[in-house]
Amino acid sequence: MDFDLENFGFVASAPLEIDFGCHRGAFLLGMAALHPGVNFLGIEKQIDRVEKCNARAERLGLLNARAVQGVGVEPLQKLPAGCVSVFHLYFPDPWPKRRHASRRVFQKSFLAEIRRVLAPDGVLRLMTDNEPYFAEMRQLTGEGWKEIPWDDGRENVQTAFEITFRKLGQKPFQAALVPAG
């Protein structure tokens, strides 16, 4: 079953941004408040977080923000091709032990699905505090992707994890990428 984006109350003509692993929705809801002309869809595996995020969006009157439950590539497969203007993947679980690396969400099949749902001029934004995972992400995006400046000129919201790491004096690893060719 595909997502019918209009059933979320989204304006069909507005750009769509995905916050994959939206956690409690701080980034999702903050961005939706700052950019009312953009639709924001959060994807989160824990249903209680999805429900709380949607309840907060409703309380705040954010008609351009919704969250859905989903894990891995499956929710992306429900989206039409070329419908996403920006895909945010911030602080995914790094599964640092070698034997758990196969559990990482950012793999070839996931990247292929991101590319399918991105608009031709769409942007993939990656951020993590885990340098080995970031190196793996960059290796996977080494062919067929081009890095662009991180600062896109828009007002932005920090994720809860980003705030935590920056308070500790750590700078996250980040990349903004567009499909090449």
Side-chain angles (χ1 to χ4, degrees):
M1 179 177 167
D2 290 347
F3 291 136
D4 182 351
L5 299 175
E6 289 184 33
N7 280 347
F8 293 128
F10 288 163
V11 175
S13 61
L16 174 66
E17 298 193 20
I18 301 289
D19 180 11
F20 194 91
C22 66
H23 204 243
R24 293 187 180 106
F27 174 80
L28 177 80
L29 299 176
M31 288 297 284
L34 286 175
H35 305 285
V38 177
N39 294 321
F40 289 88
L41 180 63
I43 300 174
E44 172 57 47
K45 67 181 175 181
Q46 295 185 30
I47 190 65
D48 61 319
R49 290 179 178 171
V50 169
E51 290 168 350
K52 287 177 184 175
C53 183
N54 285 333
R56 283 187 59 215
E58 194 171 314
R59 267 195 320 275
L60 295 170
L62 297 173
L63 301 177
N64 62 329
R66 292 292 171 267
V68 296
Q69 184 182 23
V71 178
V73 75
E74 184 182 326
L76 302 183
Q77 293 170 335
K78 297 177 180 181
L79 291 168
C83 71
V84 176
S85 61
V86 182
F87 192 100
H88 305 270
L89 180 65
Y90 297 160
F91 300 95
D93 193 331
W95 293 100
K97 293 181 181 174
R98 186 174 299 200
R99 69 178 183 264
H100 295 149
S102 65
R103 296 179 184 173
R104 290 177 174 169
V105 70
F106 200 83
Q107 299 182 24
K108 281 185 181 181
S109 60
F110 185 74
L111 184 58
E113 203 55 33
I114 291 171
R115 189 164 192 147
R116 185 189 70 79
V117 300
L118 269 181
D121 60 347
V123 179
L124 168 60
R125 295 173 64 87
L126 304 171
M127 188 184 314
T128 181
D129 63 313
N130 186 285
E131 189 171 11
Y133 194 14
F134 185 71
E136 186 178 319
M137 291 174 170
R138 294 301 287 134
Q139 181 180 12
L140 287 170
T141 56
E143 287 186 33
W145 295 85
K146 181 178 96 175
E147 189 163 1
I148 61 171
W150 179 261
D151 184 359
D152 60 6
R154 295 190 312 168
E155 191 172 356
N156 214 327
V157 173
Q158 291 184 336
T159 72
F161 287 114
E162 183 180 2
I163 291 167
T164 298
F165 292 115
R166 289 192 187 276
K167 280 182 181 175
L168 295 171
Q170 299 173 1
K171 185 175 187 260
F173 302 92
Q174 55 195 31
L177 307 156
V178 293

